[in-house]
């Protein structure tokens, strides 16, 4: 954690929490996902490390970019680009979206999934919470479960 400053809580789920953070050396704003080791089996920790290894090699504009990962005594920390919000929350607030936006989102998701499948990777946890929308309506796929 010597390289990052935690700024604010962004969200929580059953595995841990996500904070907005800042790289102390570059001042880049990042997402810091803290996953508690306590309660995770060795198999679950192994799967988490496998997910991190997969994300390390991914370079696509519709997939959340992994910058760094490390472990503390009690947590695994995943450092990624920060993205504005989950598609789930947008739909929860608006109840529906214009057809042109839905088409745009679908095209970007197909691009991300094509890239993954071309690299023999299957996203095992595709759901609204793992589809993020960033600046300019750019779709970002995250959490490879």
């Amino acid at each position: 954690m010597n390289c990052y400053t935690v700024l604010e809580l962004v969200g929580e789920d059953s595995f841990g929490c996500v904070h907005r953070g800042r790289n102390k050396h570059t001042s880049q704003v990042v997402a810091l996902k803290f996953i508690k080791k306590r309660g995770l089996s060795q198999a679950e920790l192994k799967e988490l490390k496998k997910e991190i290894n997969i994300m390390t090699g991914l370079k696509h504009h519709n997939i959340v970019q992994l910058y760094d990962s490390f472990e503390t005594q009690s947590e695994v920390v995943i450092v990624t680009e920060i993205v504005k919000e989950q598609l789930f929350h947008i739909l929860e607030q608006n109840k529906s979206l214009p057809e042109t936006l839905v088409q745009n989102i679908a095209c970007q998701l197909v691009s991300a999934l094509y890239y993954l499948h071309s690299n023999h990777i299957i996203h095992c946890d595709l759901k609204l919470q793992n589809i993020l929308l960033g600046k300019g309506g750019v779709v970002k796929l995250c959490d490879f479960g």
Side-chain angles (χ1 to χ4, degrees):
M1 279 300 300
N2 295 338
C3 297
Y4 301 96
T5 302
V6 176
L7 301 175
E8 63 183 317
L9 180 67
V10 174
E12 293 182 75
D13 62 20
S14 57
F15 290 103
C17 57
V18 178
H19 285 82
R20 183 182 319 273
R22 184 178 312 276
N23 183 310
K24 291 179 183 176
H25 304 296
T26 66
S27 297
Q28 180 182 27
V29 176
V30 297
L32 299 164
K33 184 171 185 176
F34 294 87
I35 302 166
K36 296 193 183 310
K37 291 181 187 177
R38 187 177 186 188
L40 292 180
S41 68
Q42 288 300 319
E44 288 170 321
L45 276 172
K46 186 177 177 180
E47 283 299 312
L48 178 59
K49 290 176 184 179
K50 187 175 171 183
E51 178 183 350
I52 291 168
N53 284 337
I54 288 169
M55 286 184 70
T56 300
L58 299 178
K59 304 284 186 251
H60 189 275
H61 61 279
N62 295 119
I63 296 174
V64 170
Q65 182 66 52
L66 175 74
Y67 295 136
D68 193 9
S69 66
F70 55 91
E71 291 185 48
T72 67
Q73 189 79 12
S74 60
E75 298 170 312
V76 174
V77 183
I78 300 173
V79 183
T80 66
E81 70 178 299
I82 191 136
V83 183
K84 192 175 175 184
E85 62 185 318
Q86 294 177 352
L87 184 55
F88 177 80
H89 289 137
I90 294 168
L91 283 171
E92 210 173 37
Q93 291 170 344
N94 299 317
K95 303 297 181 216
S96 67
L97 297 173
E99 186 176 337
T100 54
L101 180 57
V102 173
Q103 289 172 341
N104 186 319
I105 291 169
C107 286
Q108 291 182 69
L109 280 175
V110 167
S111 178
L113 291 171
Y114 179 80
Y115 172 80
L116 291 173
H117 294 178
S118 296
N119 286 285
H120 309 289
I121 299 167
I122 296 174
H123 193 295
C124 296
D125 197 18
L126 196 56
K127 59 186 178 185
L128 290 175
Q129 290 87 341
N130 292 339
I131 301 169
L132 308 176
L133 286 181
K135 293 178 184 173
V138 176
V139 171
K140 299 282 186 168
L141 203 51
C142 68
D143 283 350
F144 288 77

